[in-house]
Amino acid sequence: MRIKLAIAMFLLCLVSLSTSAAESLPSAKAMSDATEQFMATAASGDINGAYKNLAPYLGVPREAFDASAAEAHTYFRKVFDRAGKPVGKTRVAREKIEDDFYREVWLQKFAEAAIAWEFTFYQATQGWKLVGISYTTDIESLYRPYSP
């Protein structure tokens, strides 16, 4: 319980540090459209452009976001060199915590592997702001029970 509270407080601190000039997204559909555009841009190999498309909606400090974008650019340059271009994408999860947090998870599919991208948005009062982007090859948590 303390860990969850600490994480929530950390996210709220990040949100409070952001600039109030950031634009916000009005709805789940707008967030979904923005993440889909991110995935399409990333699939073309333009990781920096994908991050840039989401920058107007930041709810975190720009410096941290830019550092994350640079790290992703370096990582995915290596991925594309080894695995080739992505062959597709699939939205695998949409989750929310009341009207406060919204998260989408996408699989970026390659010929022989996949990478999960997670986008987290927060809404303090009105309007959704991006507070997190992450990616991982550990997709274990995405499995759901199979029912034929």
Side-chain angles (χ1 to χ4, degrees):
M1 179 67 173
R2 285 186 179 178
I3 293 173
K4 288 181 184 177
L5 180 59
I7 291 171
M9 292 303 291
F10 175 73
L11 285 172
L12 289 175
C13 286
L14 287 178
V15 170
S16 68
L17 291 173
S18 68
T19 62
S20 59
E23 296 176 37
S24 62
L25 294 163
S27 64
K29 178 168 180 5
M31 289 182 284
S32 189
D33 290 347
T35 60
E36 186 164 15
Q37 180 184 6
F38 178 100
M39 294 302 298
T41 305
S44 74
D46 186 6
I47 298 298
N48 287 330
Y51 273 78
K52 185 178 178 182
N53 290 342
L54 288 180
Y57 312 111
L58 283 180
V60 296
R62 181 65 189 247
E63 296 78 22
F65 180 79
D66 289 343
S68 177
E71 183 179 306
H73 172 79
T74 300
Y75 177 77
F76 279 92
R77 190 171 18 165
K78 293 175 187 173
V79 169
F80 293 159
D81 287 346
R82 291 182 186 140
K85 294 278 186 181
V87 296
K89 65 185 184 308
T90 303
R91 182 184 299 112
V92 296
R94 292 179 184 163
E95 303 169 303
K96 70 177 193 164
I97 301 173
E98 295 301 325
D99 288 327
D100 302 313
F101 284 94
Y102 177 84
R103 176 170 57 199
E104 284 197 358
V105 180
W106 287 78
L107 280 182
Q108 185 174 39
K109 301 186 292 186
F110 296 85
E112 297 181 9
I115 294 177
W117 284 89
E118 184 176 285
F119 303 88
T120 304
F121 296 86
Y122 173 70
Q123 173 174 250
T125 54
Q126 187 173 0
W128 295 92
K129 294 189 179 185
L130 179 71
V131 295
I133 299 177
S134 62
Y135 50 89
T136 183
T137 57
D138 181 5
I139 62 169
E140 190 67 30
S141 66
L142 301 178
Y143 281 93
R144 300 294 180 253
Y146 176 73
S147 29

